[in-house]
Amino acid sequence: MRIEPYEDSQLDTIKSLSLRAWSPVFDSIQKAMDIEVYHSFYPDGWRVSQLNAVESVCTTTDMKVWVAIDSDSTVGFVAVKLHSESSMGEIYMIAVDPDYQRLGIGAPLVEFALNWMKAAGMSVAMVETGGDPGHAPARCTYEKLGFGLLPIARYFKKL
């Protein structure tokens, strides 16, 4: 597996693998969240929202995106945003193709991003993820790589 800078020709592949990777995550979020609130967040469905989010991340100039390549196939990606005013790098988005999960793709993507942030002069790295069961593998990866949890309670109510 190798990690390379993202190229525009990889967008459709990244969008496709992202939907497959995040399907169980959004199923878990839907079960954990009030259904009316969930539908307020995703009125056109989570897939439309995520496709737009992935495309935005890959085409926004203040994001840096890399892809994981295995046997000439794009199997994952990571997007990083730098917050220079606070010297913080943020892992803004990450996904690994479900066919390649638990095969050592996610952790190297995160480590690559961390090394790049450090080389860019950042002193802190941050990644945000859900506390629901669907995000458990992501939390495990971040904790194994030394991230510490900041307990935050975020409440929602449909108006």
Side-chain angles (χ1 to χ4, degrees):
M1 193 266 307
R2 64 188 190 279
I3 298 172
E4 300 177 350
Y6 162 79
E7 295 180 8
D8 292 340
S9 62
Q10 296 163 317
L11 181 59
D12 288 340
T13 301
I14 288 174
K15 287 163 99 176
S16 176
L17 77 83
S18 296
L19 289 183
R20 289 184 286 111
W22 291 328
S23 182
V25 170
F26 278 93
D27 288 346
S28 178
I29 292 170
Q30 184 175 355
K31 290 174 185 160
M33 183 179 269
D34 177 271
I35 195 65
E36 291 182 17
V37 173
Y38 180 85
H39 287 301
S40 291
F41 278 126
Y42 310 109
D44 299 320
W46 72 266
R47 286 172 180 79
V48 171
S49 174
Q50 281 307 117
L51 287 174
N52 291 335
V54 170
E55 186 161 347
S56 176
V57 160
C58 290
T59 59
T60 300
T61 57
D62 68 343
M63 292 283 179
K64 185 69 176 171
V65 181
W66 295 274
V67 294
I69 307 290
D70 185 67
S71 300
D72 296 323
S73 295
T74 302
V75 298
F77 79 102
V78 63
V80 173
K81 183 174 185 173
L82 299 181
H83 302 276
S84 299
E85 66 284 351
S86 58
S87 296
M88 183 179 74
E90 177 182 1
I91 296 176
Y92 193 82
M93 189 177 284
I94 185 168
V96 175
D97 185 307
D99 293 339
Y100 291 84
Q101 290 176 359
R102 305 204 190 279
L103 297 177
I105 305 292
L109 278 170
V110 172
E111 288 174 324
F112 184 94
L114 294 174
N115 290 332
W116 185 83
M117 288 177 208
K118 188 172 182 177
M122 300 298 106
S123 59
V124 174
M126 188 267 292
V127 62
E128 185 175 321
T129 192
D132 59 285
H135 283 96
R139 290 191 308 273
C140 182
T141 297
Y142 304 141
E143 290 167 9
K144 279 196 288 188
L145 293 173
F147 281 85
L149 176 65
L150 170 64
I152 294 176
R154 186 179 284 178
Y155 295 89
F156 297 95
K157 176 178 173 50
K158 175 73 173 138
L159 300 176

